[in-house]
Amino acid sequence: MTEEQARAWVVERHGAAAADRIDAFLDLVRAENTRQNLVSPSTVPHLWVRHALDSAQLMAWDQSGMWLDIGTGGGFPGVVVAALRDAPALLVEPRRKRAAFLQHCVEALGLHHVRVFATKVDGLSEPADVISARAVASVENLLQMARGCAKKTTRWLLPRGRSAAEDLATLRRGWRGVFHVEHSLTDPESSILVLDGVSRR
């Protein structure tokens, strides 16, 4: 998939204005990446495919309400998701320099429905309807860390790369719920874990 095709995918599903907001955000990422390593330099020419679309595809499992993104880092998926929906969102990023960048993005893009927390998620108690985390910790550690924000109805959206099947097997040994694996649009070898009704066995 090309950068143009990735952008067109978003335009088709969310409109040109949403794609423009993401373009503006990606410009901020490019500029900031010269000051701090938000994304791998090798992926900068492919921001739409490798990061924006990879984030935007999670919207297929949105169930409205509060969206909590753990370890937002350079803004993926949290800022992209926030650019595509009007419901409230929380971006949790413990590294203060990155959290400051996220706050700048929120203000620059006019994302008034978004709050940024420069802290670890295990210190929060903010009930979320959707929880996402991209390349952050093991699945079991995520479930433990964010337990103060999870409800019985919370949906977890966890891009896991090639480890999804192994993660799912481990998860089923210690947790109950409805768990399944979805294939990523951007990488045939990557997957997304979708977890509903999660509780300890």
Side-chain angles (χ1 to χ4, degrees):
M1 181 179 286
T2 66
E3 291 290 275
E4 292 75 17
Q5 288 169 330
R7 190 183 191 282
W9 187 96
V10 168
V11 171
E12 181 181 346
R13 288 159 181 79
H14 301 284
D20 288 344
R21 283 193 296 275
I22 295 175
D23 276 331
F25 167 57
L26 296 183
D27 285 342
L28 293 172
V29 171
R30 288 185 189 94
E32 185 65 21
N33 215 55
T34 65
R35 293 182 282 272
Q36 59 173 317
N37 189 33
L38 301 175
V39 298
S40 170
S42 66
T43 68
V44 171
H46 314 288
L47 284 179
W48 261 104
V49 175
R50 292 291 299 276
H51 300 292
L53 179 57
D54 195 62
S55 300
Q57 67 179 329
L58 298 182
M59 287 289 293
W61 300 281
D62 184 16
Q63 55 182 24
S64 71
M66 178 67 73
W67 187 305
L68 167 65
D69 186 44
I70 301 170
T72 305
F76 306 103
V79 175
V80 173
V81 165
L84 298 177
R85 69 200 295 269
D86 295 325
L90 304 178
L91 311 182
V92 180
E93 173 50 56
R95 290 164 290 189
R96 294 205 170 265
K97 193 173 179 182
R98 293 196 180 188
F101 168 69
L102 294 173
Q103 186 61 48
H104 170 66
C105 291
V106 165
E107 294 169 4
L109 300 172
L111 302 177
H112 305 297
H113 55 296
V114 178
R115 290 181 288 160
V116 177
F117 287 86
T119 185
K120 293 182 178 180
V121 72
D122 54 11
L124 288 182
S125 180
E126 295 273 350
D129 299 286
V130 179
I131 296 177
S132 62
R134 186 177 185 237
V136 178
S138 70
V139 174
E140 286 196 291
N141 283 347
L142 280 169
L143 296 181
Q144 289 284 6
M145 287 160 38
R147 64 186 181 276
C149 300
K151 306 183 291 186
K152 291 181 180 178
T153 56
T154 297
R155 171 167 290 165
W156 299 74
L157 301 176
L158 308 175
R160 298 305 296 176
R162 301 177 184 181
S163 68
E166 181 181 340
D167 290 334
L168 196 60
T170 301
L171 189 61
R172 284 176 169 152
R173 288 196 287 270
W175 300 81
R176 296 186 183 91
V178 179
F179 312 146
H180 63 281
V181 177
E182 298 285 345
H183 292 293
S184 170
L185 289 173
T186 59
D187 183 347
E189 295 186 357
S190 294
S191 300
I192 301 160
L193 285 182
V194 181
L195 316 178
D196 288 300
V198 176
S199 65
R200 269 288 193 187
R201 284 195 178 277

